[in-house]
């Protein structure tokens, strides 16, 4: 399978559509009835995924520490999502990261177009996922960047405006890598594995990390479309810095979509497909999507912590038993990611296949 070089159709920026379409959205963005958000259900199910205070991980009180480990374990098994507070990342840095990218999306279009991406690597300024011709599109633009390994980090793809962008995101990336490393140890211990198991399975210090900044412009008909279609994250673990003023993320729980209420200065953590594979489905990645909003724009920052691209990922042998055989064959993250990039967001069907 070879990654395509070009998009199948000319790219239209959703931000431009938002400014020109005052009453209705183009047909290309109207979802099938079964995929549209129900406004009633959105209002009725604003809820919260578990909120976990990470101070307990460093407590000298063994009961408090054990309780925090247990909360994370239960959230991974029952939700695949949780919010974390007191995580050690500067709140000022979090605010600065969001504001820096908000400024980028408000630059003149000709400046942003200098960074237009292609489906070969997705790096840069984009407005669609997947390369199927005639596909129904999502109501969002984005900016995608490689952060690690350093061999893939290309500053030519990083915006030069706003002037602080590169400096802010280098600092932000350093802090989030450290936070992911701490969480990986907790997940390993909770699975009954040696504390560095998941980190080593990802490649030790030689892991991958990417940043995807989502920009959701105002939408005149949010009930007909989605900001981001239902999907599970293909990588290992995602740390999402949401817009805490506007509800947008929905998480599937059984047959229902739960609209998450972000906590100020929290990260939303979710399990990706690679940890589902390594844990032999003890922990499961979960479908989620983003809804559109008619009144306000929204910016969110997703930090993807991934395995090294060429390491085969398969269930941990310690978690494979006669009554619990391995559920997945070995596959490198590169192979899996290319498969997904060709198809675009498709619920949980990717990892199930």
């Amino acid at each position: 399978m070879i990654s395509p070089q070009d998009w199948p159709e000319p790219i239209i920026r959703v931000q431009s559509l938002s400014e020109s379409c005052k009453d209705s959205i183009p047909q290309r963005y109207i979802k099938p009835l079964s995929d549209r958000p129900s406004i009633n259900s959105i209002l009725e199910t604003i809820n919260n995924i578990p909120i976990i205070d990470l101070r307990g991980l460093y407590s000298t009180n063994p009961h408090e520490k054990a309780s925090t480990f247990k909360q994370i374990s239960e959230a991974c098994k029952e939700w695949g999502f949780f919010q974390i507070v007191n995580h050690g990342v500067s709140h000022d840095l979090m605010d600065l990261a969001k504001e820096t990218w908000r400024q980028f999306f408000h630059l003149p279009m000709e400046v942003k177009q200098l960074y237009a991406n292609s489906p070969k690597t997705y790096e840069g300024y984009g407005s669609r996922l997947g390369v199927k011709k005639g596909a129904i599109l999502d109501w969002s633009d984005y900016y995608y960047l490689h952060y690690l390994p350093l061999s893939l980090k290309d500053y030519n793809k990083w915006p030069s405006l706003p002037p602080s962008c590169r400096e802010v995101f280098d600092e932000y990336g350093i802090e989030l890598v450290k936070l992911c490393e701490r969480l990986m140890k907790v997940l390993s211990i909770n699975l009954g594995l040696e504390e560095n198991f998941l980190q080593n399975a990802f490649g030790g210090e030689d892991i991958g990390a990417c940043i995807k900044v989502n920009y959701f412009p105002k939408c005149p008909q949010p009930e007909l479309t989605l900001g981001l279609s239902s999907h599970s994250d293909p990588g290992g673990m995602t740390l999402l810095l949401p817009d805490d003023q506007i509800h947008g993320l929905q998480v599937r729980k059984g047959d229902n979509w739960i609209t998450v209420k972000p906590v100020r200065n929290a990260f939303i953590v979710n399990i990706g497909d690679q940890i589902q594979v390594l844990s032999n489905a003890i922990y499961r990645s979960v479908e989620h999507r983003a809804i559109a909003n008619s009144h306000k724009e929204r910016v969110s920052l997703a930090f993807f912590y991934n395995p090294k691209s060429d390491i085969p990922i398969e269930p941990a042998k310690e978690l494979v038993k006669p009554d619990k055989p391995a559920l997945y064959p070995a596959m490198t993250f590169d192979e899996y990611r290319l498969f997904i990039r060709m198809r675009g967001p498709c619920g949980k069907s990717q990892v199930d296949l």
Side-chain angles (χ1 to χ4, degrees), residues 254-273:
D255 294 329
N256 298 314
W257 286 102
I258 304 297
T259 304
V260 176
K261 185 178 180 182
V263 173
R264 174 81 176 135
N265 297 322
F267 285 106
I268 297 174
V269 182
N270 67 280
I271 300 299
D273 293 345

Side-chain angles (χ1 to χ4, degrees), residues 4 39 80 82 126 135 141 143 186 200 211 213 266 276 282 322 333 338 345:
I39 297 301
F82 52 99
D141 299 321
Y143 206 105
V186 175
N200 290 337
I211 296 166
V213 186
Q276 174 170 326
I282 293 173
F333 183 50
L338 181 54

Side-chain angles (χ1 to χ4, degrees), residues 84-87 89-92 94-95 98 241 244 263-267:
I84 52 173
V85 296
N86 294 312
H87 40 65
V89 179
S90 158
H91 296 169
D92 288 343
M94 295 165 73
D95 289 340
K98 275 190 289 192
L241 177 56
D244 52 35
V263 173
R264 174 81 176 135
N265 297 322
F267 285 106

Side-chain angles (χ1 to χ4, degrees), residues 190-242:
N190 279 338
L191 287 166
L193 303 168
E194 189 273 324
E195 72 169 20
N196 291 317
F197 181 91
L198 289 176
Q199 188 70 42
N200 290 337
F202 271 37
E205 294 184 1
D206 194 13
I207 56 94
C210 307
I211 296 166
K212 180 171 178 267
V213 186
N214 301 298
Y215 178 75
F216 303 100
K218 290 188 289 187
C219 177
Q221 293 179 298
E223 71 281 4
L224 298 183
T225 190
L226 288 169
L228 189 56
S229 293
S230 170
H231 64 288
S232 62
D233 287 350
M237 177 192 298
T238 304
L239 297 186
L240 180 73
L241 177 56

Side-chain angles (χ1 to χ4, degrees), residues 232-235 273-274 277 285 309 331-341 348-353:
S232 62
D233 287 350
D273 293 345
Q274 304 305 307
V277 169
S285 60
S309 61
M331 181 184 280
T332 69
F333 183 50
D334 248 0
E335 293 168 329
Y336 187 66
R337 181 163 50 185
L338 181 54
F339 175 63
I340 283 178
R341 283 178 174 172
K348 280 279 286 182
S349 65
Q350 320 278 28
V351 72
D352 292 342
L353 281 172

